[in-house]
Amino acid sequence: MHALANSVRRVYNRLRHSTDVLHKDTGVSAPKRTLLMDLHRYGPQAVPALASARFISRQIIQTQVNDLAESGYVVAKRNPEHKRSSLISLTASGRQFVKQMITREDAFIQELGWLPDSGELAICAKVLDAIDAHLEASEADAR
């Protein structure tokens, strides 16, 4: 398990560095790009949910959301399930920015010339998702 954790950290750091270089001209930091990608992938979310998924404070996420809103990439909308916590969603400009990021990243991946095949990637994702689920369950039991 330690070897896997170390490999995941190494790959995460390498991917983050690669995407920082790839997107340096956008002026959008890696944490903000991650927020945009998560909103694209999972749809509108409240700041507390975005913070909880990252194990960081709501204040840090709120600052990032405010910056992204000033750039026109996200907007706060009324949350029908909570009076005080708005849902953060992508604007049309935010969706376009995410599409451009994905296009750049897809081109970068193609330039690498090697990646595991889709079956191997599916197995990796399944194993990592199972580890995450077990860790989440053990944290819930500890509360």
Side-chain angles (χ1 to χ4, degrees), residues 66-95:
N66 292 347
D67 291 346
L68 291 168
E70 284 180 27
S71 297
Y73 295 139
V74 299
V75 65
K77 296 183 177 180
R78 190 177 85 65
N79 184 348
E81 296 185 19
H82 197 281
K83 289 182 181 179
R84 293 179 39 203
S85 187
S86 300
L87 287 175
I88 308 303
S89 62
L90 293 173
T91 62
S93 178
R95 286 188 295 277

Side-chain angles (χ1 to χ4, degrees), residues 87-131:
L87 287 175
I88 308 303
S89 62
L90 293 173
T91 62
S93 178
R95 286 188 295 277
Q96 182 62 32
F97 182 80
V98 169
K99 286 179 187 175
Q100 290 171 347
M101 283 194 311
I102 291 169
T103 299
R104 282 181 175 195
E105 291 170 8
D106 286 347
F108 171 75
I109 290 166
Q110 292 304 313
E111 287 175 17
L112 290 176
W114 177 88
L115 278 178
D117 67 37
S118 60
E120 291 169 320
L121 290 171
I123 291 168
C124 286
K126 184 177 179 180
V127 169
L128 291 172
D129 288 346
I131 291 169

